[in-house]
Amino acid sequence: NNDVDTASGDIDISTSFTWPTLASTVFAQTDTGKVADDEHCLTVLVTGATGNIGKACMKRSKGLGWSCVPTSRSMGLDLSDWGATRGWIAKVDRVYDLVIMAHGKQIPATLEELDEDLWYEVMAANLDSCAALTTVLFQEDSMAGGGLIVYISSIQATQPRAGRGAYAIAKAGIEALTRIAAVEFGEYGVRALCIRPGQMTESMQGIHFTDEQISAIRDRTILEWPSPEDVAKLCFDLYHQPSMTG
C-alpha cells in the first residue's frame, strides 16, 4: 500500500524473487562494466516491496519472467538518505529496465497540527526518497536505455482531503518530479511516468477509514476501485508504450 508505511504481512522475498546475490538469470558485463541481465531477461527495481502495491508488482514480475530487485524501509534501506541510497545502488550493481517507486507514508495531521518533525518525516518518506533514488540511478548509470521509471502518486495530489496536507503536497511534488525527469533524462532514452490511483480498498480498510465511511464512498462511486494488481499490471504495460513519457 503506497499510502501507508507498513511492514505487516511481509513475505519471504529471498525465496520467491531474485536477489542480486542469488541471481538465477544469466549475467554479462556491459561496456561500462556494469552488471546487466542476459538480453532475454528484463530487470525491475521495486521500492515499497512490503506494501500491497509493491508485493503485487513483485508477483507480476515473477509471472512475466522479469528479474526483480526489491527494497523497502523494513528491509533496511531509507531511500531519503542519499548516501545510503547511493551505496546500495552501487553495491547491487544492476542496470534496470523498469523502476517502480511504490513506497510512501501517510500521517494524518491538519495544517494546524503539523510540526517540523512530522512535516519532514512525510516529505522524506514520499518526495525526498523519490528524488534521491532518481538522481542516484542516473549518477550511477543504473538505468538502461529505453528504460522507464514509474512513480506512484495519489488522487490527493489534486483532490486533497483535510488532515492530509503534507501527504498531498508531497504527492504533488512527485508529479512535478515525473515531468522534470522525463525532460532531463529523455536524451538518454529513459522515460518517466506517474500513476495516480484513486480510492483503493486495501489503502482504506482498517487504516484511516471506518467501514461506514468506505460504504458511503462506494455508494457514490460508479466504477470499481482499482486493486494493487491493477496498478502493477499498468506499471508493466506502460513499459511497452515507448511513445509515452512525462
Side-chain angles (χ1 to χ4, degrees):
N1 176 1
N2 65 303
D3 285 345
V4 181
D5 179 24
T6 175
S8 62
D10 284 359
I11 56 178
D12 186 2
I13 299 171
S14 63
T15 60
S16 302
F17 302 95
T18 301
W19 283 88
T21 55
L22 297 174
S24 59
T25 56
V26 179
F27 296 98
Q29 290 290 331
T30 65
D31 293 338
T32 60
K34 300 290 289 185
V35 178
D37 288 316
D38 178 84
E39 62 180 355
H40 300 297
C41 183
L42 299 171
T43 301
V44 57
L45 168 61
V46 178
T47 70
T50 54
N52 290 329
I53 291 178
K55 288 179 182 178
C57 288
M58 289 190 296
K59 290 179 180 178
R60 186 156 191 86
S61 73
K62 184 179 180 181
L64 294 173
W66 286 55
S67 175
C68 181
V69 178
T71 188
S72 72
R73 278 189 300 273
S74 63
M75 293 161 64
L77 178 62
D78 177 4
L79 290 170
S80 68
D81 183 330
W82 289 61
T85 298
R86 188 183 311 280
W88 185 81
I89 289 293
K91 182 177 180 180
V92 172
D93 197 31
R94 299 287 290 276
V95 176
Y96 302 103
D97 300 281
L98 175 62
V99 174
I100 303 173
M101 299 197 192
H103 62 280
K105 184 173 187 176
Q106 182 173 182
I107 303 176
T110 65
L111 294 177
E112 185 178 8
E113 295 167 341
L114 272 176
D115 59 32
E116 183 178 10
D117 290 341
L118 190 152
W119 170 266
Y120 283 117
E121 183 177 356
V122 174
M123 290 298 129
N126 293 284
L127 180 55
D128 296 353
S129 50
C130 286
L133 180 56
T134 300
T135 299
V136 169
L137 283 169
F138 284 93
Q139 291 177 342
E140 297 295 324
D141 296 322
S142 295
M143 286 300 301
L148 171 65
I149 300 175
V150 177
Y151 302 91
I152 304 297
S153 179
S154 167
I155 194 172
Q156 293 195 54
T158 55
Q159 300 179 41
R161 294 189 300 108
R164 304 294 190 274
Y167 180 77
I169 293 168
K171 290 299 187 180
I174 288 174
E175 295 190 7
L177 173 62
T178 302
R179 299 183 184 98
I180 291 295
V183 170
E184 295 189 357
F185 301 134
E187 64 179 290
Y188 304 112
V190 175
R191 297 177 296 125
L193 292 168
C194 187
I195 296 175
R196 184 194 295 165
Q199 304 294 356
M200 300 175 64
T201 302
E202 290 80 356
S203 66
M204 300 176 73
Q205 286 181 324
I207 300 172
H208 302 308
F209 297 86
T210 66
D211 290 340
E212 291 74 15
Q213 288 173 320
I214 294 175
S215 178
I217 294 172
R218 277 195 178 279
D219 290 341
R220 296 194 299 270
T221 303
I222 298 175
L223 302 176
E224 286 294 320
W225 289 350
S227 67
E229 289 71 26
D230 292 327
V231 176
K233 180 179 185 301
L234 181 56
C235 288
F236 286 90
D237 287 349
L238 288 172
Y239 177 78
H240 298 289
Q241 300 295 326
S243 62
M244 296 179 63
T245 191

